[in-house]
Amino acid sequence: MKISVIGCGYLGAVHAATLASMGHTVVGIDVDPGKVAQLARGAAPFHEPGLDELLEHGRATGRLHFSTDPADAGDAQVHFLCVGTPQDKTSDAADLSFLVSAAAALLPHLAAGAVVVGKSTVPVGTVDMLQDVLAARPDVLLGWNPEFLRQGTAVKDSLVPDRLVYGVDGGRAAAFHPATGAPLGVTAALDGVYEPLLAAGIPRLVCNFATAELIKSAANAYLATKVSFINAVGGLCDAAGADVTELSEAMGLDPRIGGRYLHAGLGFGGGCLPKDIRSFRTQAATLGVPAVEDWMRLVDAVNLGQRERTVRLAAELCGGALAGRSITVLGASFKPDTDDIRDSPALDVADRLAAAGAHVTVTDPKAVNLAWRRYPRLRFESSAARALQDAELVLLLTEWDEYRQLCPASTGQQVRRRVVLDARNVLDAAAWQEQGWVVRGLGTAAGALAAAAH
C-alpha cells in the first residue's frame, strides 16, 4: 500500500518508519527542509531508541522516502496527519492551526477515493473542522486513529501496540457490512494498513469520531491523575513520617490499582501530558462538565507544586539559603531515553535554583545541546563526572540508568558535600548512606529520619 505521513516529528517519523517496516511504501512530508534531509539520510533529528535503525532499514529497502512537497504524497491511498497540536500561546486550549494547514496543503493532491486519517491528539470536535476543510472533496474519506506512543519506547509501542482505535463516521454500526460483517470504508483501509498487527492479535476498537478524539486525552488525564495522586500522598507521608515508596509498592500490588504511574517523585512534563490535561480541562469547561474541569486543574496544580517543593527541600539541605551554593543537577530531559526538554521538570527546578542565586551545573546524556540554548544562566556539562566536581548538593531529577547506577563511594570523592536529593526516589538510599551521604527523597522523610537516628 502507498501511504503518506504528514508531519515528521516524534509521532510522524516513528509512524512512517514503522509502516515501511511492515512492507508499505511510505513518504513522509514535513515543512522543515533540515529535518527532511536528516530523515532521508536514515538518521532521526531527535533521540529515540531504535528509530535510527528503523529509518536506515526503510531507506535501504527503498520503501521509505521524505519530502517537503505535498505533491509527492499525491498517489498515496492513505494519508496520516501527524502534525503537532501544541498548547495555544494565549490559553490552555490546543492549537490546531498546524493540523488545519496540513490538511489544506494536502487537499489539492488527494487522489480519488483517498483516505485521510488523523493521528494527532486533538480536542473533541476537531474532525468537524477538518470535514469543513475537505468538504470540496466528497469522495475523500476521513477517519481518526489516535496514537498511544511513549517517548523513549515509541518504536516498540508502534511495532507492538496495546490496541488500535479507529474513529469512523457513524461509529461501529457504519463500519461493517450489515449482512457479511466485512469492514467498509475507513475501517477497511486501516485494516489493510495494520494487517500484520491485526494478524498478531492486537485488539482493534471501532468507535465514532467523538470517542476517538477523547480517548488519548482521557488516557493521559488518567495517567496524570495517578502520578499527581501519589505525589500528593507523598506530601502526606512526609507530614506523617511514612515512606511513600513502601506505600506505593503495597498499593500497586492490588490488581485493581496496579503499580504503573504510581511512583512518587518530581512529577511529569514533556510535550504531551501537561498540554493534554490542560486541553482536556478546557474541553470540559466548554462542554459544561465542571467535575472534570476541576479535577484536571487540581492534577496540574499538584504536579507543578512538586517542582516548588523540590526547590524548598534543596534550600533546606543547603542550610536554608541557596545563594552562592554549588549545585549539580543530574538530568535535563523531561524523562529518560529522550532528548526532549519540553516542559522539563528538571530544567524548571534547575532554573528556579539559579534564580535563587545558586551556581547550577546541569548534566544529561542526550539533552545538553538542546538545553543550553534555552537556559543561558545554567552551566552545562556532558560528563557527569565533570558536573559533580565540588558540588555542595546533588539533585537527581531525571532517572537515567547511568545516574541510578552511580557508585556512591567514587561519587563522594568528587563532591564537596555528600548530600543528595533524589527527587525521583530511585537510588538505593541505604547504600548511599553507608558511604556517608545524606539522602532525601520526596515523600520519604521517614527513611531520612531513621538514617539520621543511627
Side-chain angles (χ1 to χ4, degrees), residues 185-212:
V186 171
T187 303
L190 289 175
D191 278 357
V193 171
Y194 295 122
E195 182 179 4
L197 301 181
L198 296 170
I202 301 300
R204 178 194 65 180
L205 171 68
V206 181
C207 56
N208 65 17
F209 284 142
T211 305

Side-chain angles (χ1 to χ4, degrees), residues 27-52:
V27 57
I29 306 294
D30 199 278
V31 297
D32 184 339
K35 183 189 296 182
V36 165
Q38 189 166 346
L39 288 166
R41 294 195 301 269
F46 48 84
H47 176 68
E48 182 62 44
L51 181 55
D52 282 348

Side-chain angles (χ1 to χ4, degrees), residues 154-424:
V155 170
K156 176 180 178 292
D157 294 341
S158 294
L159 293 172
V160 191
D162 295 322
R163 71 284 205 196
L164 296 167
V165 175
Y166 302 171
V168 302
D169 194 11
R172 190 175 304 174
F176 303 95
H177 191 284
T180 67
L184 301 172
V186 171
T187 303
L190 289 175
D191 278 357
V193 171
Y194 295 122
E195 182 179 4
L197 301 181
L198 296 170
I202 301 300
R204 178 194 65 180
L205 171 68
V206 181
C207 56
N208 65 17
F209 284 142
T211 305
E213 289 169 318
L214 283 170
I215 283 173
K216 177 63 184 295
S217 295
N220 277 355
Y222 181 72
L223 296 176
T225 295
K226 287 190 74 172
V227 175
S228 285
F229 171 81
I230 199 62
N231 281 335
V233 171
L236 190 64
C237 287
D238 275 340
D243 188 319
V244 73
T245 59
E246 297 172 355
L247 183 147
S248 62
E249 181 182 5
M251 286 181 62
L253 292 174
D254 186 329
R256 298 169 301 172
I257 298 172
R260 298 183 69 183
Y261 283 78
L262 202 67
H263 186 89
L266 182 53
F268 56 81
C272 292
L273 253 62
K275 64 100 173 173
D276 287 351
I277 64 171
R278 292 163 194 160
S279 173
F280 203 52
R281 186 179 72 212
T282 301
Q283 294 174 65
T286 301
L287 295 170
V289 186
V292 175
E293 180 187 2
D294 294 343
W295 193 340
M296 290 301 99
R297 181 178 290 110
L298 179 59
V299 167
D300 199 11
V302 170
N303 185 60
L304 295 176
Q306 289 297 97
R307 305 178 187 189
E308 181 57 35
R309 183 179 169 197
T310 300
V311 173
R312 290 198 304 268
L313 186 50
E316 178 185 318
L317 292 171
C318 286
L322 291 164
R325 308 307 290 263
S326 295
I327 297 176
T328 295
V329 168
L330 302 177
S333 58
F334 85 92
K335 63 181 287 189
D337 296 319
T338 180
D339 59 357
D340 194 348
I341 61 169
R342 289 177 293 175
D343 199 6
S344 165
L347 287 172
D348 187 9
V349 168
D351 200 47
R352 294 181 191 218
L353 295 171
H359 302 301
V360 183
T361 301
V362 181
T363 186
D364 189 277
K366 296 293 180 181
V368 164
N369 288 339
L370 291 173
W372 73 266
R373 302 188 192 99
R374 293 270 303 276
Y375 293 85
R377 64 180 165 189
L378 301 177
R379 176 174 172 259
F380 290 90
E381 288 282 0
S382 57
S383 163
R386 288 196 297 269
L388 287 164
Q389 288 297 322
D390 295 323
E392 298 175 80
L393 173 64
V394 178
L395 275 71
L396 197 165
L397 301 186
T398 308
E399 62 275 32
W400 287 90
D401 280 344
E402 70 176 72
Y403 303 148
R404 291 171 177 260
Q405 296 166 6
L406 283 172
C407 172
S410 58
T411 302
Q413 295 173 357
Q414 297 169 310
V415 300
R416 194 182 311 170
R417 294 174 68 234
R418 296 191 179 198
V419 184
V420 59
L421 171 50
D422 176 14
R424 294 296 181 179

